[in-house]
Amino acid sequence: MEWSNTRKLKGNAVFTSVIGENSHGIFLLRYRNKFLSKNIIIERYRHQMGLALTRNIVLKKARLLHIELQDDRLLVISSRFNRKETRNEVMYQWYTMEIEPIGDPELLFPAALSDYYDKGDFRVRISNNRKRISITHTEKSDAGKRILQSYIYDDSLKLIRHKSWEIEMPYDVFYMSDMMIDNGGNLYYLVNNREQTLRRNNEIPIQWQLFTYSFNKDALNDFAMADSGVSLLGPSFSWDRFKNKVNITAFYTDKDVRDVTGLYNFVIYPDSINGVQATYNQFTPEFKNYLTGNNNSFTLEEVRNFKIIDVIPNSDGGISIVAERSSFTYESDVTYVNGVPQTMSRNIYNYEDVLVMAMDPQLRIRWFHLVNKSQSSLNDGGYYSSIIVANTRSKIYIIYNDRLRTNGDVIQYTFTTEGEVTHKILIRSDEEFVSVIPREASQIAYNKLLLPVSKNKKFALLKLEYPN
């Protein structure tokens, strides 16, 4: 464990994102809102955790899309509205390791507006080997359909390929949930149909589609994700580098029964549509009872509230799942002050038990464990709640704040590949109030984890280095 010095953050840029680490140090991004607009701050720390420098970057009317750290320079990609040309534009700018600009910002490509208020739906994804960069956005066709525009670049931002497809789905109901690019430049798009979601008056899309672009064959294919009568809950991508395959994993439910039915996994191999396979593992009543603690007061919703946090491919072709039970509640009260009614509202964020389970290649459960915890907070977006997940070659680590409302400790659980579980107090809060910030943490190497931390209401950085 290595700590930085504590600092009182100045100004409004109080949120932190870890950019990465290279031979020059550790780089952080600071910002003040989720829109990443107006201005940002980039900081560089030395490897021994001392602050080396900090730079303020004015974005003016642009919006930050992505920052990529390379061996000897930083790449900043942003979007802006060109009022004169009436279009959105994606720009890029290189920076030195001293965070000084190299040349002027350059135009990558323009994007047409679908309406006057369109700010663009740009998605930037980087391949696992950091050699391929994909930027994707959508436009509206004359027929009222979605046009999918994708650009593939190398790591120096040289354009390798630009593709455009008109998707047979009305513009207003198309929604891209996630996308991915692999090391070979193949693209994967996870799409659902908003119209059917709204018609059924619930939050679960019942029609998911996977679009895949084969770089070598220069062809786009699409696949129906699930059987008729099955709804997927929050599917997400993971890339299995051991077997060179892509997993799309989710909990699934029968659309007539609002309970989690089991675990779903869809496998596709790059450049091949013949190896596509969907697997369903239905949970037993005994397993569901384990999740609810055999408590009759639990409703079916309690099982449904589990959301997949991370999917970790195993070397044997199976996967390990980390899921958390979480919920959000909105409450409002009307009070009278001097006879005048005033509405008081509050948002309650609940983050509870964590489920860790390992599945074999046929999606059968090898082992599982339930970590009991309870985190509840008010009007803070769940900032200090939830968990941090890290994995090395042989272990999975779960880190979280215990007893948020009091001077609690930071707890770490360790899981081996055989399902052995240990836990300990990672940071004891006897003398100092310490809370990790889960959504800002990042794994920067196969055995290194970087944690932004609140330490006595000041900012600090903690680096954890694990054995293999």
Side-chain angles (χ1 to χ4, degrees), residues 271-289:
D271 295 327
S272 173
I273 62 174
N274 297 322
V276 172
Q277 180 183 3
T279 305
Y280 299 82
N281 178 10
Q282 183 172 345
F283 293 153
T284 64
E286 293 77 16
F287 181 76
K288 293 180 183 179
N289 287 337

Side-chain angles (χ1 to χ4, degrees), residues 196-206 258 304:
Q196 295 195 15
T197 305
L198 296 175
R199 189 176 68 231
R200 298 180 68 247
N201 193 30
N202 76 59
E203 75 282 9
I204 304 175
I206 63 171
R258 313 316 305 159
R304 243 184 77 192

Side-chain angles (χ1 to χ4, degrees), residues 12-32:
N12 294 324
V14 295
F15 299 108
T16 304
S17 179
V18 177
I19 299 174
E21 181 183 30
N22 63 11
S23 59
H24 298 269
I26 298 167
F27 290 79
L28 300 184
L29 166 69
R30 293 199 187 284
Y31 54 97
R32 67 175 185 171

Side-chain angles (χ1 to χ4, degrees), residues 250-308:
F251 291 129
Y252 74 92
T253 178
D254 184 280
K255 68 180 181 181
D256 296 323
V257 180
R258 313 316 305 159
D259 181 15
V260 165
T261 305
L263 187 68
Y264 165 93
N265 194 56
F266 187 92
V267 173
I268 185 168
Y269 292 86
D271 295 327
S272 173
I273 62 174
N274 297 322
V276 172
Q277 180 183 3
T279 305
Y280 299 82
N281 178 10
Q282 183 172 345
F283 293 153
T284 64
E286 293 77 16
F287 181 76
K288 293 180 183 179
N289 287 337
Y290 176 81
L291 297 184
T292 58
N294 293 309
N295 190 335
N296 293 329
S297 66
F298 277 76
T299 66
L300 297 179
E301 291 288 331
E302 296 296 334
V303 179
R304 243 184 77 192
N305 282 340
F306 272 100
K307 299 175 178 63
I308 293 179

Side-chain angles (χ1 to χ4, degrees), residues 185-378:
N186 304 298
L187 300 172
Y188 308 86
Y189 309 96
L190 195 55
V191 172
N192 68 50
N193 189 325
R194 275 181 169 171
E195 184 180 50
Q196 295 195 15
T197 305
L198 296 175
R199 189 176 68 231
R200 298 180 68 247
N201 193 30
N202 76 59
E203 75 282 9
I204 304 175
I206 63 171
Q207 180 178 321
W208 288 89
Q209 282 182 274
L210 174 68
F211 292 90
T212 65
Y213 171 70
S214 170
F215 186 87
N216 292 332
K217 296 179 180 179
D218 193 20
L220 184 74
N221 295 293
D222 67 289
F223 305 89
M225 289 295 299
D227 296 339
S228 174
V230 171
S231 297
L232 304 182
L233 309 175
S236 61
F237 287 113
S238 62
W239 181 60
D240 188 339
R241 63 184 178 87
F242 304 103
K243 305 294 184 181
N244 191 29
K245 66 180 182 181
V246 175
N247 292 302
I248 301 165
T249 310
F251 291 129
Y252 74 92
T253 178
D254 184 280
K255 68 180 181 181
D256 296 323
V257 180
R258 313 316 305 159
D259 181 15
V260 165
T261 305
L263 187 68
Y264 165 93
N265 194 56
F266 187 92
V267 173
I268 185 168
Y269 292 86
D271 295 327
S272 173
I273 62 174
N274 297 322
V276 172
Q277 180 183 3
T279 305
Y280 299 82
N281 178 10
Q282 183 172 345
F283 293 153
T284 64
E286 293 77 16
F287 181 76
K288 293 180 183 179
N289 287 337
Y290 176 81
L291 297 184
T292 58
N294 293 309
N295 190 335
N296 293 329
S297 66
F298 277 76
T299 66
L300 297 179
E301 291 288 331
E302 296 296 334
V303 179
R304 243 184 77 192
N305 282 340
F306 272 100
K307 299 175 178 63
I308 293 179
I309 303 296
D310 203 1
V311 179
I312 304 168
N314 302 331
S315 58
D316 63 356
I319 52 177
S320 294
I321 307 291
V322 180
E324 183 180 35
R325 195 199 321 266
S326 60
S327 61
F328 164 76
T329 305
Y330 171 80
E331 296 180 355
S332 63
D333 293 321
V334 177
T335 58
Y336 287 84
V337 179
N338 296 327
V340 179
Q342 294 185 355
T343 302
M344 305 290 291
S345 63
R346 53 183 176 268
N347 299 320
I348 303 172
Y349 300 87
N350 299 302
Y351 293 83
E352 299 174 339
D353 301 337
V354 176
L355 172 65
V356 182
M357 56 182 178
M359 322 294 291
D360 67 14
Q362 287 73 43
L363 219 64
R364 296 180 298 233
I365 298 177
R366 293 178 50 230
W367 57 262
F368 62 89
H369 185 83
L370 193 68
V371 177
N372 298 116
K373 72 175 179 69
S374 179
Q375 298 169 316
S376 182
S377 60
L378 190 67

